[in-house]
Amino acid sequence: MTINRQRRQSAASAPGATPEAIIRINDAGHLGAEGPASLAGVVERGDARGRELGFPTANISVPHADIPDGVWAGTVQVEPATHGNTYLAAVSIGRRPTYYRKGLRLLEAHLLDFNANLYGLTVLVTLHVHVRAQRRFRDTEELVTQIRDDVNYVRSWAAEYQQ
Ligand SMILES: Cc1cc2nc3c(=O)[nH]c(=O)nc-3n(C[C@H](O)[C@H](O)[C@H](O)COP(=O)(O)O)c2cc1C
């Protein structure tokens, strides 16, 4: 699924969704009344665990300390300079506490309905709705169950967003 237009969206109205918070961030990456926030970066190599979990991610570093950790309903545009396609994404920002005590802070975007290698390409990630905090899960199975719910949330949010 691709999305080519942007408009403001209230998470509270997304069907079946119970987001933890609705956070608006302006274009400079600061929390504020204006939203949503966009961050561009070159996709880096992850440790490939995402693919094993069934949820491969495009990873970029997060320079804005004031963007809160957590999981977001987002969109990702590939190569924005040449107006590449935009995809829905479940975006995780944080230190992956399930696997690391003090992991590197990363933005990881799982693009929905997309299966190609993005290493070295520039992506523009837009964070629309803060869905939940990053958590430490007991095991991989619990994390995968939660990510599946996150992806379902993003789809229901998008169904509303595209109307
Ligand atoms: C939608 C989504 C939600 C995530 N939520 C969490 C989380 O709450 N806690 C956590 O430890 N890791 C979370 N992760 C990160 C995964 O641990 C990570 O993607 C996985 O370990 C693969 O890492 P890799 O990209 O370095 O291979 C999430 C990832 C995604 C895509």
Side-chain angles (χ1 to χ4, degrees), residues 47-50 57 59 92 96-99 108 132 135 137:
D47 51 26
R49 188 190 306 111
T57 57
N59 299 356
S92 167
R96 296 169 291 174
T98 305
Y99 298 102
E108 301 179 87
R132 65 173 177 88
R135 278 181 45 205
F137 289 90

Side-chain angles (χ1 to χ4, degrees), residues 46-51 53 55-57 59 71 90-92 95-100 106 108-110 132-137 143 146-147 150-151:
D47 51 26
R49 188 190 306 111
R51 199 161 290 280
L53 302 186
F55 296 94
T57 57
N59 299 356
V71 177
V91 183
S92 167
R95 300 177 192 275
R96 296 169 291 174
T98 305
Y99 298 102
Y100 303 99
L106 268 187
E108 301 179 87
H110 172 68
R132 65 173 177 88
Q134 277 263 315
R135 278 181 45 205
R136 183 173 194 281
F137 289 90
L143 171 63
Q146 179 61 59
I147 294 178
D150 297 334
V151 167

